[in-house]
Amino acid sequence: MVHPALNLHWLPQGECVQPSQLPVLVIMYGCMQSVLLLVLAVCVVRSQLVFPLNCPNQAVVQNFDSTQYLGLWYENQKYPVIFETGGKCITATYSDNGNNKIGVLNSQRNILTNKVTTITGEAKFTGSTSEASLTVSFQGIPFGDGSYNVLDTDYTSYAIVWSCQDLLLFNTQILWILTREQNPSSTLIDNVRQIIENRGITLLFLKPTDQTNC
């Protein structure tokens, strides 16, 4: 995935904000040009979905077992991500870096060149290791660490990962569905999407990741 994580993201058709928010931005632009220019500049770089107000509260997994969480995950669906543009066969592999730190290795294959690219990073717990709230950093990624929150997982088949960061009057969000199997059953994915919807997180921007001919 991925990236926090992990990562920098883009909106469909190059949009940085949702159409429904444009009137708000236009009104505010007249009185807060410098603020909005900063917001939009960061949005372009991070290319994440932009939502109004602060990050909503979302409970993370408690009694989190990082050992069970380690290993290979396949990205099944996500909010669009600019650094993954033209990518397929996207995976995230997590390893034990010691001292309560988790190593991150993200990989993808370019659909045009067939070349595989990777990026490495490290995730750190924001508090207790029993709570699945972490920050992750990657080499060469601007604007500091990103949030990485495991909202739900059974460790063996799926994980729901959500990132949200406050940015002045707005927040930027990223969402991933990760699976242990490269091509999981539709029943599993439908159940995971229902969990997300029950949390009040929009499914509208979730896009499937191509995991064919890898």
Side-chain angles (χ1 to χ4, degrees):
M1 116 203 111
V2 223
H3 135 131
L6 292 167
N7 305 305
L8 311 182
H9 297 255
W10 66 290
L11 280 174
Q13 302 171 345
E15 297 293 339
C16 192
V17 293
Q18 300 177 65
S20 62
Q21 269 118 44
L22 286 177
V24 176
L25 292 180
V26 170
I27 292 172
M28 294 187 64
Y29 185 78
C31 60
M32 299 182 65
Q33 292 186 25
S34 60
V35 172
L36 285 174
L37 286 174
L38 176 60
V39 171
L40 294 174
V42 174
C43 181
V44 167
V45 174
R46 291 192 172 188
S47 299
Q48 299 168 335
L49 296 181
V50 178
F51 297 86
L53 305 178
N54 293 333
C55 291
N57 292 324
Q58 287 291 339
V60 301
V61 173
Q62 301 296 307
N63 300 314
F64 182 63
D65 189 334
S66 59
T67 300
Q68 287 194 65
Y69 192 76
L70 300 180
L72 175 64
W73 290 93
Y74 294 93
E75 183 184 271
N76 181 268
Q77 296 182 24
K78 63 175 179 298
Y79 285 173
V81 188
I82 195 168
F83 75 92
E84 292 183 359
T85 301
K88 58 179 294 186
C89 306
I90 300 170
T91 64
T93 303
Y94 303 113
S95 57
D96 185 358
N97 275 9
N99 296 318
N100 296 324
K101 298 178 181 178
I102 297 176
V104 183
L105 173 63
N106 292 339
S107 173
Q108 70 176 34
R109 184 180 298 275
N110 187 280
I111 59 175
L112 297 178
T113 66
N114 208 39
K115 180 181 179 180
V116 175
T117 58
T118 61
I119 184 171
T120 58
E122 187 172 68
K124 304 175 183 179
F125 288 91
T126 60
S128 169
T129 57
S130 66
E131 295 187 349
S133 175
L134 303 95
T135 59
V136 62
S137 59
F138 289 89
Q139 294 182 352
I141 301 300
F143 295 100
D145 297 348
S147 65
Y148 185 95
N149 303 294
V150 184
L151 303 186
D152 203 342
T153 184
D154 65 356
Y155 302 101
T156 60
S157 64
Y158 76 92
I160 300 170
V161 179
W162 180 70
S163 174
C164 187
Q165 292 183 281
D166 290 325
L167 188 63
L168 299 176
L169 302 177
F170 308 92
N171 70 81
T172 60
Q173 297 183 33
I174 313 166
L175 180 68
W176 297 272
I177 295 176
L178 306 181
T179 58
R180 288 295 194 184
E181 293 185 5
Q182 191 168 29
N183 298 291
S185 69
S186 58
T187 299
L188 173 65
I189 298 305
D190 288 344
N191 290 340
V192 173
R193 287 174 63 90
Q194 187 62 59
I195 294 172
I196 294 171
E197 188 172 33
N198 290 344
R199 281 176 166 265
I201 301 175
T202 181
L203 301 175
L204 180 61
F205 302 105
L206 275 176
K207 303 297 181 183
T209 299
D210 186 357
Q211 290 287 354
T212 61
N213 301 318
C214 295

